[in-house]
Amino acid sequence: MHLTTLARHALSRGATPAAAFALIARLGHSPLPVARAVCLALDIPLAETSRRLAECYDALLSNPRPDSENDTGELLEALGVFDVPKSLTDTELAVVEHFLAAIDAHGSLRPGHRHGLQRWFTTGNLTTAYLSLAAAHPMPRTGDPALYWATLVTAGELLTAAPGPDTRIKYALTHCRTQTTKHQKSTGPTSYSSPPEASVR
């Protein structure tokens, strides 16, 4: 049976991508084609699949250890290799651009946090990404807190303008507006300042 067909069958029976990888790899197949098969079974485009696997090949796939199939599958899943990309709308793409600007303005975002954000961007989980950034604390010396919070206000306004916004976003947006007002009093407005009607009164 073709590996991709085998992976698709395993997924259809409720296996996670990590479990599908381990199941097929234990049949004696090399890790690289198995990982590729799982990605393709998830309808991840071939070009994106090849890029992701190239990034982790040396560390995870080039020299597999005996009985490591489960661990390798879980690591691949944790790294986002099996994340299914979502096609974002123009508004969602604009939100991601604001998120990237906020990341730059943070000043010292941890690599693990950056990785998690990138996975949420890929899968279109922008609510979780927004809540995560709204809970972070930009660095006053290495970052630009005023720009950070003002950018998140703009992103939050775009998210709340969508039909049926998550209530948590509204609370996070209020927090970001408060932080923006506080920082703008001491540093002046930034290019990402919220419009007057969005300011905290």
Side-chain angles (χ1 to χ4, degrees):
M1 184 180 292
H2 193 276
L3 289 183
T4 303
T5 303
L6 193 58
R8 192 169 286 119
H9 177 71
L11 294 169
S12 71
R13 293 178 64 84
T16 64
F21 171 89
L23 175 68
I24 300 170
R26 280 197 297 269
L27 297 177
H29 300 288
S30 298
L32 179 60
V34 173
R36 183 185 296 113
V38 174
C39 287
L40 296 178
L42 291 165
D43 294 325
I44 299 172
L46 179 58
E48 176 65 12
T49 293
S50 299
R51 183 190 67 78
R52 295 182 187 185
L53 295 179
E55 289 179 351
C56 66
Y57 176 76
D58 290 339
L60 291 177
L61 304 173
S62 61
N63 188 26
R65 294 177 290 104
D67 302 318
S68 64
E69 296 86 359
N70 286 335
D71 291 341
T72 301
E74 289 174 2
L75 283 170
L76 289 169
E77 192 158 37
L79 288 171
V81 171
F82 300 138
D83 285 351
V84 179
K86 179 190 174 188
S87 180
L88 302 181
T89 66
D90 289 343
T91 298
E92 289 171 331
L93 289 171
V95 169
V96 171
E97 287 300 317
H98 290 308
F99 285 165
L100 294 174
I103 291 170
D104 288 340
H106 182 278
S108 184
L109 206 64
R110 294 177 291 105
H113 194 175
R114 283 179 179 268
H115 176 69
L117 287 165
Q118 188 57 56
R119 292 190 65 187
W120 293 326
F121 298 164
T122 298
T123 57
N125 193 350
L126 302 188
T127 294
T128 301
Y130 186 71
L131 297 176
S132 176
L133 288 169
H137 301 283
M139 301 293 104
R141 292 189 178 182
T142 57
D144 186 340
L147 178 60
Y148 180 83
W149 293 116
T151 305
L152 289 183
V153 166
T154 306
E157 288 169 347
L158 289 171
L159 288 170
T160 55
D166 191 310
T167 302
R168 295 174 299 169
I169 295 179
K170 296 180 179 180
Y171 286 118
L173 175 56
T174 298
H175 169 70
C176 293
R177 283 174 173 160
T178 301
Q179 294 298 318
T180 298
T181 300
K182 181 173 71 173
H183 284 90
Q184 285 181 350
K185 285 180 179 177
S186 59
T187 63
T190 72
S191 59
Y192 274 91
S193 296
S194 57
E197 63 271 16
S199 300
V200 174
R201 290 180 172 85

